[in-house]
Amino acid sequence: EDQVTQSPEALRLQEGESSSLNCSYTVSGLRGLFWYRQDPGKGPEFLFTLYSAGEEKEKERLKATLTKKESFLHITAPKPEDSATYLCAVQVKASNDYKLSFGAGTTVTVRA
Amino acid sequence: GAGVSQSPSNKVTEKGKDVELRCDPISGHTALYWYRQSLGQGLEFLIYFQGNSAPDKSGLPSDRFSAERTGGSVSTLTIQRTQQEDSAVYLCASSLGDRGSQPQHFGDGTRLSIL
C-alpha cells in the first residue's frame, strides 16, 4: 500500500536556527513529489515539484531535495513568517492517470 | 478573483441536515478536486472532475456524499443526512490539464461543523 510519512509532527525553532523536515514514501510508480505550505485557516499553497532523485529546488529560505525513498525540506535561517504546516504529497499511479497522496504534515513554529 | 473560491467559509448545521458546499475554480482549469482534512490528518481525496465528468469518485466515503460540476466550472459537494463524523474542513483544488500533469491550487476550504 502506498504510504507517505512526514516527520517530525511538530518542530519548534528559534529564529535563525536551520533545520530539515522529512517526507518518506513507499509507493509504486512514483511520478513526482510536491511540497505545500499551509497557514492556519487557509488552503495549501504550492511550493515545489520534484520528479527525480538528486533533484533540488529552492525558494527563498526553503530548499527541497529528493532521493529514491524520501524528500527533505531544508529551512535555512528561518524567520517567524516561515511558521506554517508543511505538507508533502506524492503522485501515485491510479487506474488511468496519477493522483496525489498527502502526508499528515509537519507544523513548524519559529520564535523571534 | 484569481484563485480558487469556496463558499461558505464556515458552516454549522445539525445532525441529519443536508449541506451544499460550493467551489469556483481558477478560470481555465479543467481539473477540479475535492478533499477532506480532519484535525491532525492528511488530506483525504474525495473526487476528481475533468470537465463535467468525474472519472474518479473512489474517495467518496458513503452514498450520502455526492458532487457535480456544471459548465466545466463551478462544482457543488453535497452531504445528505449529515453525521458528526462529517465535521472537517472540505478543500477544493483545481489544475490545468489532466490530473497529475500540473500542480493543484487550493481554495481556503469550508469548515463544516455538525452539532
Side-chain angles (χ1 to χ4, degrees):
Chain A
E1 182 181 337
D2 298 330
Q3 274 198 316
V4 183
T5 304
Q6 292 189 246
S7 62
E9 290 185 12
L11 189 60
R12 293 176 63 86
L13 301 172
Q14 197 68 36
E15 184 172 6
E17 178 189 1
S18 301
S19 189
S20 296
L21 285 55
N22 178 263
C23 171
S24 64
Y25 56 90
T26 53
V27 299
S28 56
L30 175 71
R31 189 185 190 202
L33 184 144
F34 294 77
W35 281 99
Y36 284 84
R37 169 192 171 125
Q38 187 174 24
D39 293 302
K42 300 292 186 181
E45 175 189 350
F46 170 70
L47 292 174
F48 305 111
T49 311
L50 301 166
Y51 291 105
S52 55
E55 188 175 0
E56 298 184 351
K57 294 276 180 72
E58 283 190 70
K59 181 179 181 179
E60 296 182 355
R61 296 174 292 283
L62 301 177
K63 183 168 81 172
T65 62
L66 181 65
T67 73
K68 288 187 177 179
K69 293 187 176 181
E70 59 192 349
S71 177
F72 292 93
L73 184 65
H74 307 277
I75 310 179
T76 301
K79 298 182 177 182
E81 54 262 41
D82 295 322
S83 298
T85 295
Y86 292 86
L87 300 172
C88 166
V90 172
Q91 267 182 330
V92 300
K93 192 74 172 70
S95 53
N96 294 313
D97 55 7
Y98 294 85
K99 65 181 184 181
L100 285 186
S101 179
F102 281 84
T106 295
T107 300
V108 174
T109 305
V110 183
R111 296 166 290 174
Chain B
V4 177
S5 177
Q6 292 189 246
S7 60
S9 54
N10 287 283
K11 178 73 175 178
V12 181
T13 192
E14 292 180 347
K15 176 183 171 181
K17 300 287 189 183
D18 297 351
V19 295
E20 280 191 357
L21 312 180
R22 176 188 167 104
C23 173
D24 203 339
I26 294 172
S27 178
H29 281 195
T30 57
L32 186 146
Y33 316 81
W34 284 98
Y35 293 87
R36 181 167 68 175
Q37 187 174 35
S38 302
L39 193 63
Q41 305 292 317
L43 271 69
E44 175 189 4
F45 167 78
L46 297 177
I47 187 169
Y48 156 59
F49 286 93
Q50 182 60 243
N52 292 336
S53 301
D56 189 350
K57 307 179 184 179
S58 63
L60 294 177
S62 74
D63 59 8
R64 295 187 297 105
F65 288 72
S66 63
E68 65 174 11
R69 188 178 186 195
T70 56
S73 182
V74 172
S75 176
T76 302
L77 177 69
T78 300
I79 309 174
Q80 295 179 309
R81 305 181 302 280
T82 52
Q83 303 294 313
Q84 288 187 330
E85 61 263 28
D86 300 333
S87 296
V89 176
Y90 289 81
L91 290 162
C92 175
S94 68
S95 68
L96 287 167
D98 296 331
R99 179 168 67 166
S101 64
Q102 298 290 336
Q104 296 177 21
H105 298 274
F106 286 82
D108 287 338
T110 293
R111 184 175 300 275
L112 178 64
S113 300
I114 309 299
L115 302 178

